[in-house]
């Protein structure tokens, strides 16, 4: 039927002699019509194409007994449900003339399903025969059964035409002719279509069953029940009231029925049957008889139950899945939604069913959702996409499948996955910018030459090793090892990998160029959900510069230790951050304190400063620490372990961080007690020497004066004749000689030697 859009097929269909309509299931929109149907209904194609069947052909609003649309709708719904043809029988359905008035018509409709390749209902063919003349007895006496009696539809036409004969002949002739024809046709129908016929004459309460009907009831072929009550007893108890009610309604009001009930046969079987009944009226319109068809639909019912069970299972599956699933009709209204849909969209299912998608979720209008849904409907191809729905703050993975009635949509909340993927992208970006090597390898095999294999390296690997990703992926990390790689470390790594345990070590590796470099290696196992190790993650940090610094530091420390041992100074290293002081061994040698008995803090120094000096010294050192200077020195007294005070010179150098805060202070204490004694003695000696120099000079000058005085006094004594002057000259000579002795003593003091005069023998 999808070929009706082709002009050739459309013209062929329109020219078909049958009175046919093609409608879509559920909406019952008219999509194609034959010219014969338009002529029979006095309509034009442009007036009905695109409309629903009941919009194009409504009931007469002024007719209180109008049941055309309801009966036809019931037949169409049975076709949708069972996917099998449905025969209505005779349907009173007036037609609206072009002038707007309704003209009474009787129709014999047959609704047939058209299935697609997937077995889904795609269209319904609505075929009718106008039997108004037959029902009203206006088409003559020339009706006869069709040639092909195996066709169920022809069987119905024969029954209708036999009614015309019955009206034209006498009651007896009509009855006999009808019975013979009915018996023949119903027997044929029962054999070929598992159908049976029946008739109830209301006046005589005579019941006639065909052999097919009797066979369905598991009764002899010639059996017919004596009364309606007896016939009703063949039904299961729970269905007897229903069948009795519809039969009585048909007998009283002429309302046909089509019901499905369950029988209870003498053999104990409980087949499901479909009972169709229509009323037969006389010329005055009074119901004279009820006749119809009877069909064993047990297999069909079982198939339907299996289909229903399959539908229930599918529904259970749809309800149990973690994805949201919903369907939309062609007007974008929700026709189904599973429980997860309500959870995902934060609406109850009752709030969604029958509602319009765009009205309920206006933020989707103009979004990727609308674009993809429209594309799926127009192209009839599945649309798969991911989109963000901002009102709910969620990311959705959507699969939209076009179906004959609209669209089926699977929606999965991937918000966490999207965040996880975003995190992975961030991790990948971060790893690519890391200075440390990140390498991921398989866990096995360990003992094979090519295993385990590298599956991931970051950019730092390429920068540091010189190997490209393509050169590293698939190869073993042992490509970075060489002759100078410590075998003991390699064995430690292998043992840790064998035990699937983490390990940290330092390894000497080789670059692609052969250049050596040191790495600090951290290897961590990765476990799956079953606690099985699947991969190893190795983080390698280039510590070549650090190893060189450590080597240089070790040399410096060795030198420092040698210097600290070789010097007599007391050396200290004061960590100002932790307030811990390190002393060298000279603390014991100089001041007598064992290092183990000293407090680790600064109190080990401050507590041993002389009480008279401590405030001054502590204040001065903290002024330097809290200031900007880097050098401090001070002289003070430091108390030895034996209680004696030592005079010391203390010097310190302040080490500051980048912000200028003092973090360390290294210095030395020099015991200058002995030196100070020597210096004091030197100063005294220097004083005496100065006095001696001064005394010698004075004595020398005085001695020169005394020489003059002594010489003059001697001359005056020897030459003086004056008795008065001679005594004075002698007194002067005596005083001069005494001054000479004093001068001699002063000169002896200046020479720092004792006076020891001795007689000197004269040698001539």
């Amino acid at each position: 039927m999808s070929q009706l859009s082709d002009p050739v097929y459309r013209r062929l269909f329109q020219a078909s002699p049958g009175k046919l309509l093609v409608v879509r299931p559920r909406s019952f929109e008219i999509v194609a019509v034959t010219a014969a149907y338009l002529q029979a209904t006095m309509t034009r194609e442009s007036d009905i194409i695109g409309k629903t069947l009941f919009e194009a052909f409504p009931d007469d609003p002024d007719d209180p007994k109008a049941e055309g649309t309801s009966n036809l709708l019931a037949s169409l719904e049975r076709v949708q449900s069972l996917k099998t043809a449905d025969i209505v029988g005779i349907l009173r359905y007036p037609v609206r003339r072009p002038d707007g008035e309704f003209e009474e018509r009787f129709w014999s409709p047959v609704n047939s399903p058209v299935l697609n390749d997937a077995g889904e209902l795609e269209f319904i063919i609505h075929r009718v025969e106008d039997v108004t003349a037959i029902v009203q007895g206006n088409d003559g006496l020339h009706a006869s059964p069709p040639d092909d009696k195996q066709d169920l539809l022809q069987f119905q036409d024969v029954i209708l035409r036999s009614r015309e004969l019955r009206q034209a002949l006498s009651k007896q002739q009509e009855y006999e002719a009808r019975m013979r024809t009915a018996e023949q046709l119903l027997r044929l129908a029962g054999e070929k279509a598992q159908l049976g016929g029946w008739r109830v004459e209301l006046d005589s309460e005579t019941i006639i069953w065909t052999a097919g009907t009797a066979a369905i009831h598991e009764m002899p072929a010639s059996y017919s029940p004596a009364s309606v009550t007896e016939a009703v007893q063949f039904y299961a108890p729970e269905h007897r009231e229903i069948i009795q009610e519809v039969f009585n309604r048909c007998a009283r009001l002429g309302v046909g029925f089509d019901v499905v009930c369950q029988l209870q046969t003498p053999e104990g079987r409980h087949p499901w049957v479909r009972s169709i009944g229509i009323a037969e009226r006389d010329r005055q319109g009074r119901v004279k008889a009820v006749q119809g068809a009877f069909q064993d639909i047990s297999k069909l019912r079982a198939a339907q139950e299996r289909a229903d069970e399959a539908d229930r299972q599918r529904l259970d599956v749809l309800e149990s899945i973690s994805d949201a699933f919903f369907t939309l009709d062609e007007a974008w209204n929700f026709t189904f939604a599973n429980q997860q849909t309500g959870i995902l969209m934060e609406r109850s299912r009752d709030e969604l069913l029958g509602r319009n998608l765009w009205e309920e979720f206006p933020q989707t209008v103009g979004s990727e959702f609308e674009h993809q849904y429209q594309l799926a409907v127009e192209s009839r191809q599945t649309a798969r996409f991911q989109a963000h729905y901002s009102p709910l703050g969620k990311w959705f993975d959507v699969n939209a499948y076009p179906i004959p009635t609209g669209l089926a949509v699977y929606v999965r909340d991937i918000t966490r996955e999207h965040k996880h993927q975003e995190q992975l992208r961030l991790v990948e970006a971060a790893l690519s910018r890391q200075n440390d090597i990140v390498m991921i390898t398989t866990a096995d095999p360990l003992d094979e030459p090519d295993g385990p294999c590298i599956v991931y390296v970051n950019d730092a690997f390429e920068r540091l090793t010189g190997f490209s990703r393509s050169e590293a992926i698939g190869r073993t990390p042992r490509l970075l090892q060489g002759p100078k790689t410590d075998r003991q470390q390699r064995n430690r790594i292998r043992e840790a990998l064998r035990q699937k345990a983490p390990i940290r070590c330092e390894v000497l590796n080789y670059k692609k160029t052969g250049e050596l470099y040191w790495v600090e290696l951290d290897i961590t196992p990765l476990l799956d959900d079953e606690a099985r190790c699947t991969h190893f993650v190795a983080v390698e940090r280039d510590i070549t510069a650090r190893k060189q610094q450590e080597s240089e530091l070790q040399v410096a420390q060795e030198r420092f230790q040698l210097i600290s041992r070789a010097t007599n100074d007391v050396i200290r290293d004061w960590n100002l951050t932790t307030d811990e002081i390190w002393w060298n061994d000279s603390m014991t040698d100089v001041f007598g304190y064992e290092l183990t008995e000293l407090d680790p803090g600064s109190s080990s120094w401050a507590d041993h400063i002389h009480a008279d000096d401590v405030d001054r010294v502590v204040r001065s050192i903290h002024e330097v620490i809290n200031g900007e200077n880097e050098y401090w020195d001070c002289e003070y007294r430091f108390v030895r372990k034996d209680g004696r005070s030592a005079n010391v010179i203390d010097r310190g150098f302040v080490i500051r961080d980048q912000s200028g805060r003092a973090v360390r202070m290294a210095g030395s204490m020099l015991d200058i007690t002995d030196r100070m004694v020597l210096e004091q003695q030197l100063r005294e000696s220097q004083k005496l020497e100065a006095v001696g120099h001064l005394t010698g000079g004075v004595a020398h000058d005085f001695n020169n004066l005394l020489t003059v005085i002594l010489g003059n006094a001697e001359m005056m004594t020897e030459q003086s004749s004056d008795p008065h002057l001679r005594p004075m000259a002698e007194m002067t000579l005596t005083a001069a000689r005494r001054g000479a002795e004093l001068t001699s003593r002063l000169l002896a003091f200046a020479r720092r030697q004792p006076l020891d005069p001795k007689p000197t023998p004269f040698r001539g």
Side-chain angles (χ1 to χ4, degrees):
M1 294 303 296
S2 59
Q3 293 174 322
L4 287 177
S5 58
D6 186 278
V8 175
Y9 283 97
R10 192 173 189 85
R11 288 196 298 271
L12 289 173
F13 179 80
Q14 291 172 340
S16 174
K19 303 177 182 66
L20 304 175
L21 270 183
V22 180
V23 299
R24 296 186 186 276
R26 294 179 178 82
S27 65
F28 306 123
E29 176 189 355
I30 300 172
V31 297
V33 61
T34 63
Y37 190 98
L38 295 173
Q39 182 179 1
T41 57
M42 297 178 289
T43 55
R44 294 178 301 179
E45 183 179 17
S46 59
D47 294 333
I48 64 174
I49 292 295
K51 294 183 178 180
T52 67
L53 182 59
F54 305 112
E55 289 176 344
F57 302 103
D59 274 331
D60 185 354
D62 298 328
D63 186 358
K65 297 182 180 181
E67 293 181 337
T69 58
S70 61
N71 290 333
L72 182 56
L73 177 61
S75 174
L76 294 171
E77 288 177 342
R78 285 193 293 273
V79 174
Q80 287 186 152
S81 175
L82 301 176
K83 297 181 182 178
T84 59
D86 186 86
I87 304 170
V88 178
I90 296 178
L91 178 67
R92 179 178 176 273
Y93 202 156
V95 175
R96 185 165 52 191
R97 297 195 302 264
D99 60 6
E101 296 296 324
F102 282 82
E103 178 179 304
E104 187 172 49
R105 292 286 187 90
F106 291 89
W107 308 90
S108 176
V110 177
N111 297 311
S112 303
V114 178
L115 306 181
N116 60 18
D117 294 338
E120 299 172 339
L121 184 63
E122 188 171 9
F123 298 101
I124 298 176
I125 297 179
H126 173 63
R127 174 190 173 191
V128 297
E129 289 296 330
D130 189 347
V131 296
T132 306
I134 297 176
V135 173
Q136 295 177 350
N138 297 325
D139 67 340
L141 304 174
H142 305 290
S144 61
D147 295 332
D148 186 7
K149 298 182 178 60
Q150 296 181 357
D151 191 336
L152 184 59
L153 299 179
Q154 292 178 356
F155 159 69
Q156 186 178 31
D157 290 340
V158 171
I159 293 179
L160 294 173
R161 295 187 182 277
S162 68
R163 190 180 309 157
E164 178 184 0
L165 295 175
R166 186 184 70 248
Q167 294 173 354
L169 301 174
S170 63
K171 286 185 179 181
Q172 185 62 33
Q173 292 174 334
E174 177 187 359
Y175 178 76
E176 291 177 356
R178 186 177 67 251
M179 288 303 100
R180 286 193 300 270
T181 304
E183 183 177 359
Q184 179 184 5
L185 294 179
L186 290 176
R187 182 171 62 252
L188 181 62
E191 293 174 356
K192 301 299 183 182
Q194 294 183 332
L195 291 173
W198 56 271
R199 178 182 176 83
V200 179
E201 296 287 346
L202 298 180
D203 291 339
S204 62
E205 293 190 6
T206 302
I207 299 177
I208 299 175
W209 277 5
T210 64
T213 301
I216 293 173
H217 288 75
E218 295 186 351
M219 298 299 291
S222 59
Y223 174 81
S224 291
S227 64
V228 174
T229 301
E230 182 179 338
V232 170
Q233 293 303 309
F234 280 95
Y235 287 86
E238 63 271 19
H239 293 159
R240 291 170 185 170
E241 183 177 350
I242 297 173
I243 199 67
Q244 185 70 63
E245 180 181 350
V246 297
F247 178 81
N248 292 341
R249 188 163 177 260
C250 184
R252 291 196 314 271
L253 304 176
V255 178
F257 62 87
D258 187 343
V259 294
V260 175
C261 296
Q262 195 171 23
L263 296 181
Q264 182 174 283
T265 69
E267 298 296 329
R269 292 179 62 251
H270 293 78
W272 285 91
V273 296
R274 179 182 181 187
S275 181
I276 303 172
I278 59 174
E280 182 178 325
R281 300 174 184 271
D282 58 15
R283 291 183 180 277
Q284 288 75 34
R286 184 175 63 88
V287 178
K288 293 182 57 181
V290 177
Q291 63 181 10
F294 207 77
Q295 184 180 15
D296 183 351
I297 61 169
S298 298
K299 293 182 180 180
L300 182 62
R301 177 83 177 195
Q304 182 61 40
E305 289 177 352
R306 289 194 297 271
D308 292 343
E309 178 62 25
D311 288 341
R312 283 192 295 271
Q313 291 177 356
R314 285 193 291 269
L315 183 60
D316 291 341
V317 170
L318 292 176
E319 288 294 347
S320 63
I321 61 176
S322 58
D323 297 345
F325 174 77
F326 58 88
T327 57
L328 303 168
D329 62 17
E330 295 175 340
W332 304 102
N333 297 319
F334 286 93
T335 56
F336 174 81
N338 66 352
Q339 185 177 3
Q340 189 63 26
T341 300
I343 296 173
L344 194 64
M345 296 185 177
E346 299 180 3
R347 305 276 187 92
S348 68
R349 281 190 289 188
D350 293 339
E351 292 176 329
L352 294 175
L353 295 179
R355 304 291 182 86
N356 184 268
L357 170 66
W358 314 123
E359 294 176 358
E360 292 300 309
F361 302 96
Q363 294 84 355
T364 58
V365 177
S367 69
E368 184 70 7
F369 293 94
E370 182 185 21
H371 172 70
Q372 293 291 344
Y373 288 170
Q374 293 282 8
L375 182 63
V377 171
E378 293 171 2
S379 66
R380 308 303 297 173
Q381 294 181 353
T382 301
R384 295 180 174 87
F385 63 97
Q386 293 182 357
H388 182 257
Y389 186 61
S390 56
L392 297 179
K394 297 178 180 179
W395 278 91
F396 294 141
D397 181 76
V398 184
N399 288 269
Y401 302 90
I403 57 177
T405 57
L407 201 65
V409 183
Y410 286 89
V411 180
R412 184 164 60 92
D413 186 353
I414 59 169
T415 304
R416 289 186 178 180
E417 296 178 14
H418 190 272
K419 290 181 179 178
H420 180 64
Q421 292 296 328
E422 184 65 25
Q423 290 173 351
L424 288 179
R425 286 192 291 271
L426 292 175
V427 169
E428 175 65 25
L431 290 177
S432 66
R433 289 164 176 79
Q434 283 289 316
N435 291 325
D436 296 344
I437 291 176
V438 178
M439 179 169 55
I440 301 176
T441 69
T442 58
D444 294 308
L446 289 176
D447 298 325
E448 295 184 8
D450 295 334
C453 297
I454 300 173
V455 297
Y456 172 83
V457 292
N458 66 343
D459 295 347
F461 178 90
E462 296 182 312
R463 292 195 302 268
L464 181 59
T465 68
F467 289 99
S468 66
R469 278 190 175 86
S470 59
E471 291 174 319
I473 299 298
R475 298 180 65 182
T476 174
R478 289 193 286 271
L479 68 93
L480 302 175
Q481 298 174 0
K484 293 186 179 181
T485 303
D486 190 349
R487 181 172 295 278
Q488 183 178 358
Q489 291 288 14
R490 291 166 61 178
N491 293 337
R492 283 187 60 223
I493 294 172
R494 177 175 292 275
E495 185 60 27
L497 297 182
R498 193 183 308 280
Q499 296 180 6
K500 305 299 188 287
I503 184 174
R504 171 178 289 184
C505 60
E506 294 179 357
V507 179
L508 185 64
N509 279 346
Y510 288 76
K511 298 182 180 181
K512 185 178 180 180
T513 59
E515 180 184 352
L516 293 171
Y517 70 100
W518 279 95
V519 292
E520 183 181 71
L521 179 62
D522 278 288
I523 302 179
T524 305
L526 291 181
L527 306 181
D528 60 14
D529 295 338
E530 298 179 359
R532 294 179 303 183
C533 180
T534 59
H535 295 81
F536 290 105
V537 177
V539 179
E540 301 180 4
R541 176 169 297 173
D542 183 5
I543 59 171
T544 305
R546 192 188 78 187
K547 293 292 285 187
Q548 183 176 357
Q549 292 173 355
E550 288 177 354
S551 179
E552 294 173 353
L553 179 61
Q554 183 177 0
V555 173
Q557 287 178 340
E558 291 174 354
R559 290 174 180 171
F560 175 77
Q561 291 294 334
L562 292 173
I563 293 172
S564 66
R565 290 176 183 176
T567 183
N568 291 326
D569 292 358
V570 178
I571 299 175
R572 70 171 179 275
D573 184 4
W574 184 7
N575 188 329
L576 299 176
T577 304
T578 61
D579 192 32
E580 293 180 347
I581 292 183
W582 173 88
W583 301 96
N584 70 341
D585 295 338
S586 295
M587 172 61 83
T588 304
D589 299 337
V590 176
F591 298 120
Y593 294 105
E594 296 292 337
L595 298 181
T596 56
E597 64 185 5
L598 291 175
D599 186 86
S602 59
S603 59
S604 64
W605 168 69
D607 290 349
H608 298 92
I609 299 175
H610 193 280
D612 295 339
D613 298 338
V614 63
D615 291 340
R616 172 179 60 83
V617 175
V618 172
R619 182 174 60 256
S620 69
I621 197 170
H622 281 288
E623 286 177 354
V624 173
I625 291 173
N626 297 328
E628 297 179 354
N629 292 332
E630 296 181 352
Y631 177 76
W632 169 82
D633 67 338
C634 187
E635 290 189 20
Y636 58 89
R637 287 167 291 176
F638 192 81
V639 180
R640 304 175 190 270
K641 185 177 181 179
D642 59 8
R644 293 181 299 116
S645 295
N647 294 297
V648 299
I649 294 178
D650 199 345
R651 299 181 180 88
F653 296 89
V654 180
I655 301 173
R656 303 181 184 275
D657 60 15
Q658 294 180 349
S659 64
R661 183 173 64 93
V663 293
R664 294 180 68 183
M665 187 175 189
S668 64
M669 296 169 58
L670 176 63
D671 185 357
I672 61 171
T673 305
D674 293 340
R675 193 182 75 181
M676 290 182 68
V677 171
L678 292 175
E679 287 178 352
Q680 182 64 30
Q681 292 176 350
L682 177 61
R683 284 193 296 271
E684 293 296 332
S685 175
Q686 289 173 343
K687 288 179 183 179
L688 289 174
E689 185 177 358
V691 172
H693 284 299
L694 177 62
T695 302
V698 172
H700 183 74
D701 292 340
F702 189 61
N703 189 50
N704 291 333
L705 293 175
L706 286 176
T707 299
V708 175
I709 295 171
L710 185 60
N712 291 328
E714 288 178 349
M715 291 178 66
M716 288 178 63
T717 302
E718 294 176 354
Q719 297 177 4
S720 175
S721 60
D722 188 348
H724 295 286
L725 294 174
R726 188 178 181 82
M728 294 177 62
E730 290 178 353
M731 290 177 60
T732 302
L733 180 61
T734 301
R737 287 175 176 171
R738 290 180 179 176
E741 292 177 0
L742 177 61
T743 302
S744 178
R745 291 174 183 171
L746 289 175
L747 289 173
F749 172 78
R751 290 192 295 269
R752 303 292 298 269
Q753 62 183 16
L755 298 177
D756 188 16
K758 293 181 181 180
T760 302
F762 177 77
R763 293 175 181 180

